């Protein structure tokens, strides 16, 4: 029986999705990225060697596994080429494994300029974006003026839509943002050159997925960002510009909704977030600093220090519902090794029903004893100290979702598998 497994972030991103997708790729024939762009930074560690991926699906280090970039992903051709070349230098045969949907909207140089100009204009209310042009690229997609990867195949058509887009965006850049404008010829030539290099990988991803299904293959669908960065379900407007939740695995790839068999939510044993926006369990004092230091909480894409706080079971229950989580993977358990006590937010003072409200919520905590011993690298449940087991069991009980994996270090092998996913 074929199995389609969606792997996604259930917090604010950086939960360790890359590591888990890489590990689970051992079991599948294909991996599909379905949303986001190169705002994502997914870290893989294999035998101590680190690889950070931004656009390529995290299955790419497994030879022979087909890696697909679905229509839901906004694609920077220059970043894709850079990433491919970096991996090729490491001996990865990216070009034979990678297929890219022709329906991917392109992230253009002017999107980056618009992203940065908008952030400056917002002043104190800035989103804290990655500055990669992701938001403006999705805006153009929804406005039906965006340029898709396949549009570059027809140079006359490409020329026409590029000119229209540049007229529109240059006007805003010049007159509204007082920023520099872009030259048509330069972009036209740059994109066509990149396209020459990358178009051999263009593919009809929905039909590839269908072919895998007919052959009884298993596939992974890899999310980027996390549930509360979702444009609809997140802490709007402090979100990214795509849907990051489970439904997007279908709309962003062409997988029919009835073919999703399993949704694996990835969560840290605590919480982090990069950029602005609400974060009920944030620790701004020395305890937060310990999480930053022990967890090396600096962004994989921008290098920014991540905000850190306790595990938020209220938000996570919401994530479990919205994504219909089948199972949970708790990562970075080892980061809590030194704490005397560990807190879990089990309710908010004003009730969890004001999630869309603007007033800050105050969490109500439950305290659990810390295990005060290193669990780094532990790969079996029986070797975990009882207090660590109790922490996992408490999360499981609060969320009513089975914990099927626990991660105790960055490497593939630092993982406890509790129940089969395939
Ligand atoms: P992603 O965006 O969800 O793929 O996550 P990132 O790669 O941005 O951030 C996760 C970070 O935590 C990376 O540096 C990983 O190498 C690291 N990591 C993943 N799992 C573990 C773990 O269980 N323990 C520790 N200490 N680090 C981990
Ligand atoms: P991965 O896939 C964490 C955050 C940014 C900012 C907001 C909007 O590695 O988990 P954007 O550039 O998308 O318009 O920024 O979203 N953000 C992420 N935070 N992990 C990510 O990706 C993120 N991608 C975007 O920091 O707050
Ligand atoms: Mg990341």
């Amino acid at each position: 029986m074929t199995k389609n497994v969606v792997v996604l972030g259930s917090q604010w991103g950086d939960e360790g999705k890359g590591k888990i997708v890489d590990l689970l790729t051992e079991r599948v024939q294909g991996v599909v990225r379905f949303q986001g762009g190169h705002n994502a930074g997914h870290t893989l560690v294999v035998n101590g060697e680190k690889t950070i991926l931004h656009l390529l699906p995290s299955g790419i280090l497994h030879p022979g596994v087909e890696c697909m970039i679905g229509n839901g992903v906004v694609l920077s051709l220059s970043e894709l080429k850079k990433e491919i070349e970096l991996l090729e230098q490491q001996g990865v045969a990216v070009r034979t494994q990678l297929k890219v949907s022709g329906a991917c909207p392109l992230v253009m140089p002017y999107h980056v300029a618009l992203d940065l100009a908008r952030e400056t204009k917002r002043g104190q209310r800035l989103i804290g974006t990655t500055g990669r042009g992701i938001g403006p690229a999705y805006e153009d997609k929804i406005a039906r003026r965006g340029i898709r990867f396949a549009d570059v195949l027809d140079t006359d058509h490409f020329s026409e839509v590029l000119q229209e887009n540049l007229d529109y965006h240059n006007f805003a850049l010049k007159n509204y943002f007082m920023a520099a404008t872009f030259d048509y010829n330069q972009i036209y030539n740059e994109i066509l050159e990149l396209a020459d290099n990358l178009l051999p990988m263009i593919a009809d991803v929905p039909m590839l997925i269908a072919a895998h299904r007919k052959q009884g293959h298993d596939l992974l669908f890899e999310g980027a960002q996390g549930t509360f960065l979702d444009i609809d379900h997140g802490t709007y407007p402090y979100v990214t510009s795509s849907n990051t939740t489970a439904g997007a695995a279908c709309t962003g790839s062409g997988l029919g909704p009835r073919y999703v068999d399993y949704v694996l939510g990835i969560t840290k044993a605590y919480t982090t977030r990069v950029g602005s926006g609400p974060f009920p369990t944030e620790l701004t004092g020395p305890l937060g600093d310990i999480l930053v230091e022990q967890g090396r909480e600096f962004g994989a894409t921008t290098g920014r220090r991540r905000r850190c706080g306790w595990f938020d079971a209220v938000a996570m229950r919401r994530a479990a519902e919205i994504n219909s989580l089948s199972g949970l993977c708790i990562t970075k358990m080892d980061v809590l090794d030194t704490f005397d006590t560990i807190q879990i937010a089990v309710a908010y003072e004003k009730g969890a029903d004001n999630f869309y409200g603007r007033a800050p919520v105050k969490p109500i905590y439950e305290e659990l004893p810390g295990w005060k011993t290193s669990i780094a690298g532990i790969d079996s449940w029986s070797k975990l100290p009882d207090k660590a087991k109790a922490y996992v069991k408490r999360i499981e009980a609060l969320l009513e979702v089975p914990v099927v994996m626990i991660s105790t270090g960055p490497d593939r092998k630092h993982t406890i598998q509790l129940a089969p996913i395939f």
Side-chain angles (χ1 to χ4, degrees):
M1 251 285 273
T2 180
K3 206 151 185 192
N4 293 306
V5 175
V6 177
V7 181
L8 49 75
S10 32
Q11 300 170 309
W12 278 276
D14 302 326
E15 297 90 347
K17 299 174 291 294
K19 166 186 163 159
I20 301 302
V21 169
D22 168 61
L23 177 71
L24 292 177
T25 300
E26 281 169 8
R27 302 294 314 266
V28 301
Q29 288 72 45
V31 183
V32 189
R33 259 288 296 272
F34 56 84
Q35 46 72 230
H38 64 295
N39 48 351
H42 297 175
T43 314
L44 284 45
V45 182
V46 186
N47 300 324
E49 208 166 305
K50 185 163 155 178
T51 306
I52 299 178
L53 301 172
H54 301 285
L55 275 169
L56 295 174
S58 297
I60 198 75
L61 299 186
H62 295 256
V65 171
E66 186 159 68
C67 287
M68 292 163 261
I69 297 182
N71 57 280
V73 173
V74 286
L75 190 68
S76 159
L77 295 181
S78 55
E79 291 301 319
L80 179 63
K81 180 163 177 276
K82 225 192 281 174
E83 204 169 310
I84 291 173
E85 287 171 354
L86 208 69
L87 281 178
E88 281 177 338
Q89 281 166 19
Q90 297 172 26
V92 182
V94 183
R95 283 167 205 271
T96 57
Q97 274 174 262
L98 184 66
K99 299 285 183 290
V100 184
S101 169
C104 289
L106 297 183
V107 180
M108 304 292 274
Y110 46 82
H111 290 139
V112 178
L114 286 164
D115 193 354
L116 300 174
R118 287 223 178 108
E119 284 283 90
T120 307
K121 193 114 186 155
R122 285 182 73 98
Q124 293 283 311
R125 288 170 43 252
L126 90 172
I127 308 286
T129 72
T130 58
R132 300 296 194 266
I134 306 302
Y138 278 116
E139 284 173 45
D140 274 358
K141 163 180 165 168
I142 300 302
R144 295 171 293 190
R145 76 172 89 86
I147 303 175
R148 294 168 141 201
F149 189 30
D151 287 333
V152 186
L153 286 167
D154 177 344
T155 48
D156 289 340
H157 171 68
F158 172 56
S159 165
E160 197 178 324
V161 288
L162 177 63
Q163 190 68 68
E164 281 169 16
N165 272 274
L166 269 178
D167 285 350
Y168 182 80
H169 291 307
N170 274 341
F171 183 84
L173 282 167
K174 182 170 166 215
N175 300 299
Y176 183 70
F177 294 113
M178 314 296 167
T181 56
F182 286 82
D183 177 60
Y184 165 84
N185 284 313
Q186 199 179 330
I187 296 186
Y188 180 81
N189 292 327
E190 184 189 313
I191 296 290
L192 283 194
E193 200 181 312
L194 286 163
D196 255 0
N197 186 281
L198 298 169
L199 275 170
M201 287 172 281
I202 199 169
D204 186 349
V205 170
M207 291 303 111
L208 289 180
I209 292 172
H212 279 291
R213 187 169 59 79
K214 284 178 186 149
Q215 290 176 74
H217 288 172
D218 297 325
L219 298 180
L220 285 175
F221 293 80
E222 176 184 10
Q225 290 81 54
T227 297
F228 299 109
L229 288 172
D230 184 285
I231 184 75
D232 289 293
H233 299 289
T235 45
Y236 190 90
Y238 299 101
V239 292
T240 192
S241 297
S242 64
N243 285 112
T244 59
T245 41
C250 294
T251 52
S253 71
L255 176 77
R258 284 196 299 115
Y259 300 136
V260 174
D261 298 290
Y262 194 102
V263 183
L264 178 67
I266 315 291
T267 174
K268 279 177 182 162
Y270 48 101
T271 312
T272 66
R273 125 162 253 182
V274 205
S276 327
F279 183 172
T281 61
E282 182 168 16
L283 291 166
T284 48
L287 290 177
D289 294 341
I290 296 175
L291 289 172
V292 173
E293 281 153 32
Q294 301 291 325
R296 299 205 171 84
E297 293 296 353
F298 295 91
T301 295
T302 58
R304 287 180 291 174
R305 183 186 161 103
R306 294 176 182 142
R307 299 158 64 193
C308 291
W310 296 122
F311 187 85
D312 185 343
V314 183
M316 283 297 301
R317 272 197 294 260
R318 202 178 171 83
E321 278 303 320
I322 291 170
N323 295 303
S324 61
L325 295 185
S326 319
L328 202 64
C329 167
I330 303 178
T331 62
K332 304 192 89 159
M333 273 286 285
D334 54 302
V335 174
L336 298 179
D337 280 351
T338 59
F339 286 91
D340 294 328
T341 55
I342 302 167
Q343 317 243 25
I344 298 179
V346 292
Y348 295 155
E349 253 177 22
K350 287 181 182 164
D353 53 352
N354 65 348
F355 189 83
Y356 302 109
R358 298 172 64 85
V361 292
K362 202 160 173 283
I364 296 167
Y365 289 108
E366 183 178 299
E367 193 170 89
L368 278 83
W371 44 92
K372 302 280 284 172
T373 176
S374 172
I375 61 164
I378 283 185
D379 59 4
S380 80
W381 176 254
S382 61
K383 289 187 207 146
L384 273 188
D386 286 345
K387 284 173 182 156
K389 284 181 181 165
Y391 186 67
V392 171
K393 286 290 161 200
R394 187 63 190 133
I395 289 177
E396 197 169 59
L398 284 165
L399 305 188
E400 298 176 5
V401 179
V403 174
V404 296
M405 290 172 91
I406 299 167
S407 172
T408 58
D411 204 280
R412 252 185 210 168
K413 54 180 187 264
H414 302 152
T415 315
I416 303 170
Q417 304 226 24
L418 295 169
I421 290 167
F422 289 96

